[in-house]
Amino acid sequence: MAGMPITSTTETATPDDAAAVGATLARAFDDDPMMRWFFPDDSSRQEALGRYFTTIFTRQYVRHGVCERTGAAAAFWVPPEGQPQAVPDAETIQELMSILGDRAGLFRDAVEAAAHHSPAEPHWYLAVIGADPAAQGGGHGAALLRSGLAKADAAGLPVCLESSKPSNLPIYEHFGFTVREEFRLPGGGPTLWAMRREPRSPAGL
C-alpha cells in the first residue's frame, strides 16, 4: 500500500500485543450493534470495550486460537482442535461479568444462544475481526481475512462466523461466505447473521 503509514502486513499477535490489540478492536467495534447492546453507555464504551477485548485475547484466543494483527487491525481465529479449550474459564467469566456490569446476564444469554447455532462439524471459526476506522480502505481487514482463510483452505475445512453488522455482510460474501441462518439474540438483542464459507483450493482464494 504505497503511501500508507501503517502496514497492512499480517503478523502473529502475541501476549505482548494485548494493549494494542484491545485498543484497536475497541475502536473497530464502537459502532457494532451487538457491542453497543452490551455496552450502551457512550461515555464508557471505549474503555469497557478495550478491557473486554484485552481479556478475551489474553485469556482465550491467544492461548487456544490463531491471533493475527496488522498495524491497524486484529483477528482471532479458532481451528477445530482449539474450540473445546477456547471457552472462558471461571476466572475469565468473573472478569467479563465485572466489565459488563448490569449487562452481564444479557451477555451470558447471548453466548448461550449463539452456541446453539454453531455447526457440529469440524470448522474454523472467525471469532473476532476488526480494523481501526481511521485505517478504513487500507486493506487491513482483507489481509487478515485472506491469511486466516488460507489456513482453513489448507486444512480443507469450512469457516463459520457470526456478524451483527449488516454492512459487513457484502464484505464477507465477497470472500465466499454465505448466510446460512439469521437469528435474534434473546432479551431484545440485535439480529445476528451466521455465515459459512466452503473450503477452496489455494488458487480460488
Side-chain angles (χ1 to χ4, degrees), residues 24-91:
T24 294
L25 291 173
R27 291 188 291 271
F29 281 85
D30 184 69
D31 66 345
D32 182 83
M34 186 166 67
M35 290 303 164
R36 284 184 166 249
W37 186 57
F38 291 149
F39 303 103
D41 186 348
D42 291 342
S43 65
S44 62
R45 185 181 305 114
Q46 277 290 296
E47 188 270 340
L49 281 174
R51 291 172 60 201
Y52 169 80
F53 283 115
T54 300
T55 297
I56 63 173
F57 172 70
T58 56
R59 298 193 59 87
Q60 291 174 248
Y61 294 112
V62 81
R63 297 181 182 184
H64 306 294
V66 176
C67 297
E68 295 186 321
R69 62 175 298 215
T70 69
F76 307 162
W77 305 78
V78 189
E81 60 272 17
Q83 288 166 16
Q85 292 79 36
V87 294
D89 57 23
E91 188 176 343

Short mmCIF file of all heavy atoms in Angstrom, two decimals, residues 24-91:
data_model
loop_
_atom_site.label_atom_id
_atom_site.label_comp_id
_atom_site.label_asym_id
_atom_site.label_seq_id
_atom_site.Cartn_x
_atom_site.Cartn_y
_atom_site.Cartn_z
N THR A 24 -7.23 -1.29 19.46
CA THR A 24 -7.64 -1.32 18.06
C THR A 24 -9.06 -1.86 17.91
O THR A 24 -9.90 -1.28 17.21
CB THR A 24 -6.68 -2.19 17.24
OG1 THR A 24 -5.39 -1.57 17.20
CG2 THR A 24 -7.17 -2.38 15.81
N LEU A 25 -9.34 -2.98 18.59
CA LEU A 25 -10.66 -3.58 18.47
C LEU A 25 -11.73 -2.73 19.15
O LEU A 25 -12.89 -2.72 18.72
CB LEU A 25 -10.64 -5.00 19.03
CG LEU A 25 -9.84 -6.00 18.19
CD1 LEU A 25 -9.73 -7.35 18.90
CD2 LEU A 25 -10.43 -6.18 16.79
N ALA A 26 -11.37 -2.02 20.20
CA ALA A 26 -12.34 -1.11 20.84
C ALA A 26 -12.79 -0.04 19.86
O ALA A 26 -13.99 0.28 19.79
CB ALA A 26 -11.72 -0.47 22.08
N ARG A 27 -11.87 0.49 19.09
CA ARG A 27 -12.24 1.49 18.07
C ARG A 27 -13.03 0.84 16.94
O ARG A 27 -13.99 1.41 16.43
CB ARG A 27 -10.99 2.18 17.54
CG ARG A 27 -10.30 3.08 18.56
CD ARG A 27 -9.19 3.90 17.94
NE ARG A 27 -8.04 3.09 17.53
CZ ARG A 27 -7.01 2.80 18.31
NH1 ARG A 27 -6.98 3.24 19.57
NH2 ARG A 27 -6.00 2.08 17.87
N ALA A 28 -12.61 -0.36 16.56
CA ALA A 28 -13.27 -1.04 15.44
C ALA A 28 -14.72 -1.38 15.74
O ALA A 28 -15.58 -1.34 14.85
CB ALA A 28 -12.49 -2.31 15.09
N PHE A 29 -15.02 -1.74 16.98
CA PHE A 29 -16.36 -2.22 17.33
C PHE A 29 -17.22 -1.16 18.01
O PHE A 29 -18.30 -1.50 18.52
CB PHE A 29 -16.24 -3.46 18.22
CG PHE A 29 -15.95 -4.73 17.46
CD1 PHE A 29 -14.65 -5.06 17.14
CD2 PHE A 29 -16.98 -5.56 17.03
CE1 PHE A 29 -14.36 -6.22 16.42
CE2 PHE A 29 -16.72 -6.71 16.32
CZ PHE A 29 -15.40 -7.05 16.01
N ASP A 30 -16.80 0.07 18.00
CA ASP A 30 -17.57 1.12 18.68
C ASP A 30 -18.98 1.27 18.10
O ASP A 30 -19.92 1.60 18.82
CB ASP A 30 -16.84 2.45 18.59
CG ASP A 30 -17.55 3.54 19.37
OD1 ASP A 30 -17.56 3.47 20.61
OD2 ASP A 30 -18.12 4.45 18.73
N ASP A 31 -19.14 1.01 16.80
CA ASP A 31 -20.47 1.16 16.17
C ASP A 31 -21.13 -0.18 15.87
O ASP A 31 -22.13 -0.24 15.16
CB ASP A 31 -20.36 1.98 14.88
CG ASP A 31 -19.56 1.27 13.78
OD1 ASP A 31 -18.84 0.29 14.10
OD2 ASP A 31 -19.64 1.70 12.62
N ASP A 32 -20.59 -1.27 16.42
CA ASP A 32 -21.16 -2.59 16.18
C ASP A 32 -22.44 -2.76 16.99
O ASP A 32 -22.46 -2.50 18.20
CB ASP A 32 -20.14 -3.66 16.59
CG ASP A 32 -20.64 -5.06 16.33
OD1 ASP A 32 -20.51 -5.53 15.19
OD2 ASP A 32 -21.19 -5.67 17.27
N PRO A 33 -23.54 -3.18 16.36
CA PRO A 33 -24.82 -3.28 17.08
C PRO A 33 -24.77 -4.16 18.32
O PRO A 33 -25.37 -3.81 19.34
CB PRO A 33 -25.77 -3.85 16.02
CG PRO A 33 -25.20 -3.39 14.72
CD PRO A 33 -23.72 -3.44 14.91
N MET A 34 -24.07 -5.29 18.24
CA MET A 34 -24.03 -6.17 19.40
C MET A 34 -23.22 -5.55 20.53
O MET A 34 -23.62 -5.61 21.70
CB MET A 34 -23.46 -7.54 19.03
CG MET A 34 -23.54 -8.54 20.18
SD MET A 34 -23.25 -10.26 19.68
CE MET A 34 -21.53 -10.18 19.22
N MET A 35 -22.09 -4.93 20.21
CA MET A 35 -21.28 -4.32 21.25
C MET A 35 -21.97 -3.09 21.85
O MET A 35 -21.83 -2.81 23.04
CB MET A 35 -19.90 -3.98 20.70
CG MET A 35 -19.06 -5.20 20.42
SD MET A 35 -18.85 -6.25 21.90
CE MET A 35 -18.28 -7.78 21.17
N ARG A 36 -22.72 -2.38 21.04
CA ARG A 36 -23.49 -1.25 21.59
C ARG A 36 -24.62 -1.73 22.49
O ARG A 36 -25.03 -1.02 23.41
CB ARG A 36 -24.04 -0.38 20.46
CG ARG A 36 -22.98 0.51 19.84
CD ARG A 36 -23.51 1.46 18.79
NE ARG A 36 -22.50 2.45 18.52
CZ ARG A 36 -22.59 3.73 18.85
NH1 ARG A 36 -23.68 4.18 19.46
NH2 ARG A 36 -21.61 4.58 18.59
N TRP A 37 -25.11 -2.92 22.24
CA TRP A 37 -26.14 -3.51 23.10
C TRP A 37 -25.53 -3.94 24.43
O TRP A 37 -26.12 -3.74 25.49
CB TRP A 37 -26.78 -4.68 22.36
CG TRP A 37 -27.96 -5.29 23.05
CD1 TRP A 37 -29.11 -4.67 23.44
CD2 TRP A 37 -28.10 -6.67 23.42
NE1 TRP A 37 -29.97 -5.58 24.02
CE2 TRP A 37 -29.38 -6.81 24.01
CE3 TRP A 37 -27.30 -7.79 23.28
CZ2 TRP A 37 -29.85 -8.03 24.49
CZ3 TRP A 37 -27.77 -9.00 23.74
CH2 TRP A 37 -29.03 -9.11 24.34
N PHE A 38 -24.33 -4.54 24.37
CA PHE A 38 -23.65 -4.94 25.60
C PHE A 38 -23.14 -3.74 26.39
O PHE A 38 -23.11 -3.76 27.62
CB PHE A 38 -22.46 -5.86 25.29
CG PHE A 38 -22.84 -7.22 24.77
CD1 PHE A 38 -22.01 -7.89 23.88
CD2 PHE A 38 -24.01 -7.85 25.15
CE1 PHE A 38 -22.32 -9.14 23.40
CE2 PHE A 38 -24.35 -9.10 24.68
CZ PHE A 38 -23.50 -9.76 23.80
N PHE A 39 -22.69 -2.71 25.66
CA PHE A 39 -22.09 -1.52 26.29
C PHE A 39 -22.82 -0.27 25.80
O PHE A 39 -22.33 0.46 24.93
CB PHE A 39 -20.60 -1.44 25.96
CG PHE A 39 -19.81 -2.67 26.35
CD1 PHE A 39 -19.43 -3.60 25.39
CD2 PHE A 39 -19.46 -2.90 27.67
CE1 PHE A 39 -18.70 -4.73 25.75
CE2 PHE A 39 -18.73 -4.03 28.03
CZ PHE A 39 -18.36 -4.94 27.07
N PRO A 40 -24.01 0.00 26.33
CA PRO A 40 -24.84 1.09 25.78
C PRO A 40 -24.38 2.50 26.16
O PRO A 40 -24.82 3.46 25.53
CB PRO A 40 -26.22 0.80 26.37
CG PRO A 40 -25.95 0.05 27.64
CD PRO A 40 -24.72 -0.77 27.37
N ASP A 41 -23.53 2.64 27.15
CA ASP A 41 -23.12 3.96 27.63
C ASP A 41 -22.01 4.52 26.73
O ASP A 41 -20.89 4.01 26.72
CB ASP A 41 -22.64 3.85 29.07
CG ASP A 41 -22.33 5.21 29.69
OD1 ASP A 41 -22.26 6.21 28.95
OD2 ASP A 41 -22.16 5.27 30.92
N ASP A 42 -22.34 5.57 25.99
CA ASP A 42 -21.36 6.16 25.07
C ASP A 42 -20.10 6.63 25.79
O ASP A 42 -19.00 6.55 25.24
CB ASP A 42 -21.98 7.35 24.32
CG ASP A 42 -23.05 6.92 23.33
OD1 ASP A 42 -23.08 5.73 22.96
OD2 ASP A 42 -23.85 7.78 22.90
N SER A 43 -20.26 7.13 27.00
CA SER A 43 -19.12 7.73 27.71
C SER A 43 -18.11 6.69 28.20
O SER A 43 -16.94 7.02 28.38
CB SER A 43 -19.62 8.57 28.89
OG SER A 43 -20.25 7.75 29.86
N SER A 44 -18.56 5.46 28.41
CA SER A 44 -17.65 4.44 28.95
C SER A 44 -17.38 3.30 27.98
O SER A 44 -16.61 2.38 28.31
CB SER A 44 -18.24 3.86 30.25
OG SER A 44 -19.48 3.21 29.99
N ARG A 45 -18.00 3.33 26.79
CA ARG A 45 -17.90 2.18 25.89
C ARG A 45 -16.47 1.89 25.47
O ARG A 45 -16.03 0.73 25.47
CB ARG A 45 -18.78 2.37 24.66
CG ARG A 45 -18.79 1.12 23.73
CD ARG A 45 -19.65 1.31 22.50
NE ARG A 45 -20.99 1.69 22.86
CZ ARG A 45 -21.53 2.87 22.59
NH1 ARG A 45 -20.82 3.79 21.91
NH2 ARG A 45 -22.75 3.14 22.95
N GLN A 46 -15.71 2.91 25.07
CA GLN A 46 -14.36 2.66 24.60
C GLN A 46 -13.49 1.98 25.65
O GLN A 46 -12.78 1.01 25.37
CB GLN A 46 -13.72 3.98 24.15
CG GLN A 46 -14.09 4.41 22.74
CD GLN A 46 -13.48 3.51 21.69
OE1 GLN A 46 -12.27 3.44 21.55
NE2 GLN A 46 -14.31 2.80 20.95
N GLU A 47 -13.57 2.46 26.87
CA GLU A 47 -12.77 1.88 27.94
C GLU A 47 -13.21 0.45 28.22
O GLU A 47 -12.39 -0.46 28.38
CB GLU A 47 -12.90 2.74 29.20
CG GLU A 47 -11.95 2.34 30.33
CD GLU A 47 -12.55 1.32 31.28
OE1 GLU A 47 -13.78 1.20 31.31
OE2 GLU A 47 -11.78 0.63 31.98
N ALA A 48 -14.53 0.22 28.25
CA ALA A 48 -15.05 -1.12 28.53
C ALA A 48 -14.71 -2.09 27.40
O ALA A 48 -14.34 -3.24 27.65
CB ALA A 48 -16.56 -1.06 28.74
N LEU A 49 -14.85 -1.63 26.17
CA LEU A 49 -14.50 -2.49 25.04
C LEU A 49 -13.03 -2.86 25.05
O LEU A 49 -12.65 -4.00 24.75
CB LEU A 49 -14.85 -1.81 23.72
CG LEU A 49 -16.32 -1.82 23.28
CD1 LEU A 49 -16.50 -0.96 22.04
CD2 LEU A 49 -16.79 -3.23 23.01
N GLY A 50 -12.18 -1.90 25.38
CA GLY A 50 -10.75 -2.19 25.46
C GLY A 50 -10.45 -3.27 26.48
O GLY A 50 -9.68 -4.21 26.22
N ARG A 51 -11.10 -3.20 27.65
CA ARG A 51 -10.92 -4.22 28.68
C ARG A 51 -11.48 -5.56 28.22
O ARG A 51 -10.87 -6.62 28.44
CB ARG A 51 -11.60 -3.78 29.97
CG ARG A 51 -10.95 -2.61 30.67
CD ARG A 51 -11.80 -2.14 31.83
NE ARG A 51 -12.00 -3.20 32.82
CZ ARG A 51 -13.00 -3.23 33.71
NH1 ARG A 51 -13.93 -2.27 33.69
NH2 ARG A 51 -13.10 -4.22 34.58
N TYR A 52 -12.63 -5.51 27.57
CA TYR A 52 -13.28 -6.74 27.10
C TYR A 52 -12.39 -7.48 26.09
O TYR A 52 -12.11 -8.68 26.24
CB TYR A 52 -14.63 -6.39 26.47
CG TYR A 52 -15.28 -7.53 25.72
CD1 TYR A 52 -15.97 -8.53 26.40
CD2 TYR A 52 -15.21 -7.61 24.33
CE1 TYR A 52 -16.56 -9.59 25.71
CE2 TYR A 52 -15.80 -8.65 23.63
CZ TYR A 52 -16.48 -9.63 24.33
OH TYR A 52 -17.06 -10.67 23.65
N PHE A 53 -11.92 -6.77 25.06
CA PHE A 53 -11.14 -7.44 24.03
C PHE A 53 -9.77 -7.86 24.55
O PHE A 53 -9.25 -8.91 24.16
CB PHE A 53 -11.00 -6.53 22.80
CG PHE A 53 -12.24 -6.50 21.95
CD1 PHE A 53 -12.96 -5.33 21.80
CD2 PHE A 53 -12.69 -7.64 21.31
CE1 PHE A 53 -14.11 -5.29 21.02
CE2 PHE A 53 -13.84 -7.62 20.53
CZ PHE A 53 -14.55 -6.44 20.39
N THR A 54 -9.18 -7.06 25.43
CA THR A 54 -7.91 -7.46 26.02
C THR A 54 -8.06 -8.74 26.82
O THR A 54 -7.21 -9.64 26.77
CB THR A 54 -7.36 -6.34 26.91
OG1 THR A 54 -7.15 -5.17 26.13
CG2 THR A 54 -6.03 -6.75 27.54
N THR A 55 -9.17 -8.85 27.55
CA THR A 55 -9.41 -10.03 28.38
C THR A 55 -9.59 -11.29 27.55
O THR A 55 -8.95 -12.32 27.80
CB THR A 55 -10.65 -9.81 29.28
OG1 THR A 55 -10.40 -8.72 30.16
CG2 THR A 55 -10.97 -11.07 30.08
N ILE A 56 -10.46 -11.24 26.54
CA ILE A 56 -10.69 -12.46 25.76
C ILE A 56 -9.46 -12.82 24.91
O ILE A 56 -9.21 -14.00 24.64
CB ILE A 56 -11.97 -12.38 24.90
CG1 ILE A 56 -11.87 -11.27 23.84
CG2 ILE A 56 -13.19 -12.18 25.77
CD1 ILE A 56 -13.04 -11.28 22.85
N PHE A 57 -8.69 -11.81 24.53
CA PHE A 57 -7.46 -12.07 23.77
C PHE A 57 -6.45 -12.81 24.64
O PHE A 57 -5.95 -13.87 24.27
CB PHE A 57 -6.88 -10.76 23.26
CG PHE A 57 -5.51 -10.88 22.65
CD1 PHE A 57 -5.32 -11.52 21.43
CD2 PHE A 57 -4.39 -10.36 23.29
CE1 PHE A 57 -4.05 -11.64 20.86
CE2 PHE A 57 -3.13 -10.46 22.74
CZ PHE A 57 -2.96 -11.11 21.53
N THR A 58 -6.17 -12.26 25.82
CA THR A 58 -5.11 -12.82 26.65
C THR A 58 -5.51 -14.13 27.31
O THR A 58 -4.67 -15.01 27.51
CB THR A 58 -4.67 -11.83 27.74
OG1 THR A 58 -5.81 -11.45 28.52
CG2 THR A 58 -4.06 -10.58 27.10
N ARG A 59 -6.78 -14.28 27.64
CA ARG A 59 -7.20 -15.44 28.42
C ARG A 59 -7.79 -16.56 27.57
O ARG A 59 -7.88 -17.71 28.03
CB ARG A 59 -8.20 -15.02 29.50
CG ARG A 59 -7.61 -14.04 30.52
CD ARG A 59 -8.52 -13.92 31.72
NE ARG A 59 -8.71 -15.22 32.37
CZ ARG A 59 -7.90 -15.73 33.30
NH1 ARG A 59 -6.83 -15.05 33.68
NH2 ARG A 59 -8.15 -16.90 33.84
N GLN A 60 -8.21 -16.26 26.34
CA GLN A 60 -8.80 -17.30 25.50
C GLN A 60 -8.05 -17.47 24.19
O GLN A 60 -7.39 -18.49 23.96
CB GLN A 60 -10.27 -16.95 25.19
CG GLN A 60 -11.22 -17.03 26.36
CD GLN A 60 -12.60 -16.52 25.96
OE1 GLN A 60 -13.04 -15.48 26.43
NE2 GLN A 60 -13.28 -17.26 25.10
N TYR A 61 -8.14 -16.47 23.34
CA TYR A 61 -7.78 -16.69 21.94
C TYR A 61 -6.28 -16.77 21.68
O TYR A 61 -5.84 -17.54 20.83
CB TYR A 61 -8.44 -15.62 21.07
CG TYR A 61 -9.94 -15.76 21.08
CD1 TYR A 61 -10.74 -14.80 21.69
CD2 TYR A 61 -10.57 -16.88 20.54
CE1 TYR A 61 -12.12 -14.94 21.74
CE2 TYR A 61 -11.94 -17.03 20.58
CZ TYR A 61 -12.72 -16.06 21.18
OH TYR A 61 -14.08 -16.22 21.23
N VAL A 62 -5.47 -16.01 22.41
CA VAL A 62 -4.04 -16.11 22.15
C VAL A 62 -3.50 -17.44 22.66
O VAL A 62 -2.44 -17.91 22.22
CB VAL A 62 -3.28 -14.92 22.78
CG1 VAL A 62 -3.03 -15.14 24.27
CG2 VAL A 62 -1.96 -14.67 22.06
N ARG A 63 -4.23 -18.09 23.56
CA ARG A 63 -3.81 -19.39 24.10
C ARG A 63 -4.27 -20.56 23.24
O ARG A 63 -3.55 -21.55 23.09
CB ARG A 63 -4.37 -19.57 25.51
CG ARG A 63 -3.87 -18.56 26.53
CD ARG A 63 -4.47 -18.86 27.90
NE ARG A 63 -4.07 -17.89 28.91
CZ ARG A 63 -4.41 -17.96 30.19
NH1 ARG A 63 -5.17 -18.97 30.62
NH2 ARG A 63 -4.00 -17.04 31.04
N HIS A 64 -5.48 -20.46 22.71
CA HIS A 64 -6.08 -21.62 22.04
C HIS A 64 -6.48 -21.36 20.59
O HIS A 64 -7.03 -22.26 19.95
CB HIS A 64 -7.31 -22.08 22.83
CG HIS A 64 -7.02 -22.34 24.27
ND1 HIS A 64 -6.20 -23.36 24.69
CD2 HIS A 64 -7.44 -21.68 25.40
CE1 HIS A 64 -6.13 -23.34 26.02
NE2 HIS A 64 -6.86 -22.35 26.46
N GLY A 65 -6.23 -20.17 20.10
CA GLY A 65 -6.61 -19.84 18.73
C GLY A 65 -5.42 -19.40 17.91
O GLY A 65 -4.26 -19.60 18.28
N VAL A 66 -5.72 -18.80 16.78
CA VAL A 66 -4.73 -18.21 15.89
C VAL A 66 -5.04 -16.72 15.83
O VAL A 66 -6.05 -16.31 15.25
CB VAL A 66 -4.79 -18.83 14.48
CG1 VAL A 66 -3.81 -18.13 13.55
CG2 VAL A 66 -4.49 -20.33 14.54
N CYS A 67 -4.20 -15.92 16.46
CA CYS A 67 -4.43 -14.47 16.54
C CYS A 67 -3.41 -13.76 15.66
O CYS A 67 -2.21 -13.98 15.78
CB CYS A 67 -4.30 -13.98 17.97
SG CYS A 67 -5.55 -14.68 19.09
N GLU A 68 -3.93 -12.91 14.78
CA GLU A 68 -3.06 -12.16 13.88
C GLU A 68 -3.44 -10.69 13.92
O GLU A 68 -4.56 -10.33 14.27
CB GLU A 68 -3.17 -12.71 12.45
CG GLU A 68 -2.65 -14.14 12.34
CD GLU A 68 -2.61 -14.65 10.91
OE1 GLU A 68 -3.53 -14.34 10.13
OE2 GLU A 68 -1.65 -15.36 10.57
N ARG A 69 -2.49 -9.86 13.53
CA ARG A 69 -2.75 -8.42 13.52
C ARG A 69 -1.97 -7.76 12.39
O ARG A 69 -1.04 -8.34 11.83
CB ARG A 69 -2.32 -7.80 14.86
CG ARG A 69 -0.85 -7.93 15.16
CD ARG A 69 -0.46 -7.20 16.44
NE ARG A 69 -0.72 -5.78 16.34
CZ ARG A 69 0.04 -4.83 16.89
NH1 ARG A 69 1.11 -5.17 17.57
NH2 ARG A 69 -0.26 -3.57 16.76
N THR A 70 -2.42 -6.58 12.03
CA THR A 70 -1.65 -5.68 11.17
C THR A 70 -1.38 -4.43 12.01
O THR A 70 -1.60 -4.43 13.21
CB THR A 70 -2.44 -5.31 9.90
OG1 THR A 70 -3.54 -4.45 10.29
CG2 THR A 70 -2.98 -6.53 9.18
N GLY A 71 -0.96 -3.36 11.36
CA GLY A 71 -0.73 -2.14 12.10
C GLY A 71 -1.99 -1.48 12.60
O GLY A 71 -1.94 -0.59 13.45
N ALA A 72 -3.17 -1.90 12.08
CA ALA A 72 -4.41 -1.23 12.46
C ALA A 72 -5.60 -2.18 12.53
O ALA A 72 -6.74 -1.73 12.43
CB ALA A 72 -4.71 -0.09 11.48
N ALA A 73 -5.36 -3.47 12.68
CA ALA A 73 -6.47 -4.43 12.72
C ALA A 73 -6.02 -5.69 13.45
O ALA A 73 -4.82 -5.92 13.64
CB ALA A 73 -6.94 -4.78 11.31
N ALA A 74 -7.01 -6.50 13.85
CA ALA A 74 -6.71 -7.77 14.51
C ALA A 74 -7.80 -8.77 14.20
O ALA A 74 -8.95 -8.40 13.94
CB ALA A 74 -6.57 -7.58 16.02
N ALA A 75 -7.45 -10.05 14.26
CA ALA A 75 -8.41 -11.12 14.02
C ALA A 75 -8.08 -12.30 14.92
O ALA A 75 -6.91 -12.62 15.13
CB ALA A 75 -8.38 -11.57 12.56
N PHE A 76 -9.13 -12.91 15.47
CA PHE A 76 -9.00 -14.12 16.30
C PHE A 76 -9.70 -15.26 15.60
O PHE A 76 -10.91 -15.21 15.38
CB PHE A 76 -9.65 -13.92 17.68
CG PHE A 76 -9.21 -12.71 18.45
CD1 PHE A 76 -9.99 -12.24 19.50
CD2 PHE A 76 -8.02 -12.03 18.16
CE1 PHE A 76 -9.61 -11.13 20.24
CE2 PHE A 76 -7.63 -10.92 18.89
CZ PHE A 76 -8.43 -10.46 19.93
N TRP A 77 -8.96 -16.29 15.25
CA TRP A 77 -9.49 -17.49 14.61
C TRP A 77 -9.33 -18.67 15.56
O TRP A 77 -8.40 -18.71 16.34
CB TRP A 77 -8.72 -17.82 13.34
CG TRP A 77 -8.63 -16.72 12.32
CD1 TRP A 77 -7.81 -15.64 12.34
CD2 TRP A 77 -9.38 -16.62 11.11
NE1 TRP A 77 -7.99 -14.87 11.22
CE2 TRP A 77 -8.95 -15.44 10.45
CE3 TRP A 77 -10.36 -17.42 10.51
CZ2 TRP A 77 -9.48 -15.05 9.22
CZ3 TRP A 77 -10.88 -17.01 9.29
CH2 TRP A 77 -10.44 -15.84 8.66
N VAL A 78 -10.23 -19.64 15.45
CA VAL A 78 -10.12 -20.85 16.27
C VAL A 78 -10.27 -22.06 15.36
O VAL A 78 -11.34 -22.29 14.78
CB VAL A 78 -11.17 -20.90 17.39
CG1 VAL A 78 -10.85 -22.06 18.33
CG2 VAL A 78 -11.23 -19.59 18.15
N PRO A 79 -9.21 -22.88 15.22
CA PRO A 79 -9.33 -24.12 14.46
C PRO A 79 -10.11 -25.15 15.28
O PRO A 79 -10.31 -24.97 16.49
CB PRO A 79 -7.87 -24.54 14.26
CG PRO A 79 -7.14 -23.94 15.41
CD PRO A 79 -7.84 -22.66 15.74
N PRO A 80 -10.54 -26.24 14.65
CA PRO A 80 -11.38 -27.22 15.37
C PRO A 80 -10.75 -27.73 16.65
O PRO A 80 -11.43 -27.87 17.67
CB PRO A 80 -11.56 -28.34 14.34
CG PRO A 80 -11.32 -27.73 13.02
CD PRO A 80 -10.34 -26.63 13.23
N GLU A 81 -9.44 -27.99 16.61
CA GLU A 81 -8.81 -28.59 17.79
C GLU A 81 -8.74 -27.63 18.97
O GLU A 81 -8.58 -28.05 20.13
CB GLU A 81 -7.40 -29.09 17.44
CG GLU A 81 -6.44 -28.01 16.96
CD GLU A 81 -6.48 -27.78 15.46
OE1 GLU A 81 -7.47 -28.20 14.82
OE2 GLU A 81 -5.53 -27.17 14.94
N GLY A 82 -8.89 -26.33 18.72
CA GLY A 82 -8.82 -25.37 19.80
C GLY A 82 -10.17 -24.99 20.38
O GLY A 82 -10.24 -24.35 21.44
N GLN A 83 -11.24 -25.37 19.71
CA GLN A 83 -12.56 -24.90 20.12
C GLN A 83 -13.01 -25.38 21.50
O GLN A 83 -13.60 -24.61 22.25
CB GLN A 83 -13.59 -25.22 19.03
CG GLN A 83 -13.41 -24.34 17.80
CD GLN A 83 -14.16 -24.81 16.58
OE1 GLN A 83 -15.05 -25.64 16.67
NE2 GLN A 83 -13.79 -24.30 15.41
N PRO A 84 -12.71 -26.63 21.89
CA PRO A 84 -13.12 -27.03 23.25
C PRO A 84 -12.43 -26.23 24.35
O PRO A 84 -12.97 -26.05 25.44
CB PRO A 84 -12.72 -28.51 23.31
CG PRO A 84 -12.68 -28.96 21.88
CD PRO A 84 -12.19 -27.76 21.13
N GLN A 85 -11.20 -25.74 24.06
CA GLN A 85 -10.45 -25.00 25.07
C GLN A 85 -10.70 -23.50 25.02
O GLN A 85 -10.47 -22.79 26.00
CB GLN A 85 -8.94 -25.25 24.90
CG GLN A 85 -8.49 -26.67 25.23
CD GLN A 85 -8.77 -27.64 24.10
OE1 GLN A 85 -8.67 -27.30 22.93
NE2 GLN A 85 -9.14 -28.86 24.45
N ALA A 86 -11.14 -23.00 23.86
CA ALA A 86 -11.28 -21.55 23.67
C ALA A 86 -12.60 -21.03 24.22
O ALA A 86 -13.28 -20.22 23.60
CB ALA A 86 -11.14 -21.19 22.20
N VAL A 87 -12.95 -21.52 25.39
CA VAL A 87 -14.14 -21.05 26.09
C VAL A 87 -13.66 -20.47 27.41
O VAL A 87 -12.67 -20.93 27.98
CB VAL A 87 -15.16 -22.18 26.31
CG1 VAL A 87 -15.71 -22.67 24.99
CG2 VAL A 87 -14.52 -23.34 27.07
N PRO A 88 -14.33 -19.46 27.92
CA PRO A 88 -13.84 -18.81 29.14
C PRO A 88 -13.93 -19.72 30.37
O PRO A 88 -14.95 -20.38 30.59
CB PRO A 88 -14.75 -17.58 29.29
CG PRO A 88 -15.97 -17.90 28.48
CD PRO A 88 -15.51 -18.78 27.37
N ASP A 89 -12.85 -19.75 31.15
CA ASP A 89 -12.89 -20.48 32.41
C ASP A 89 -13.57 -19.60 33.47
O ASP A 89 -13.99 -18.47 33.19
CB ASP A 89 -11.48 -20.89 32.85
CG ASP A 89 -10.53 -19.70 32.98
OD1 ASP A 89 -11.01 -18.56 33.16
OD2 ASP A 89 -9.31 -19.92 32.90
N ALA A 90 -13.67 -20.14 34.68
CA ALA A 90 -14.43 -19.43 35.72
C ALA A 90 -13.85 -18.06 36.02
O ALA A 90 -14.58 -17.08 36.22
CB ALA A 90 -14.45 -20.29 36.99
N GLU A 91 -12.52 -17.96 36.04
CA GLU A 91 -11.88 -16.67 36.35
C GLU A 91 -12.14 -15.66 35.24
O GLU A 91 -12.40 -14.48 35.50
CB GLU A 91 -10.38 -16.88 36.54
CG GLU A 91 -9.65 -15.64 37.04
CD GLU A 91 -8.19 -15.91 37.33
OE1 GLU A 91 -7.80 -17.09 37.45
OE2 GLU A 91 -7.43 -14.93 37.42
#
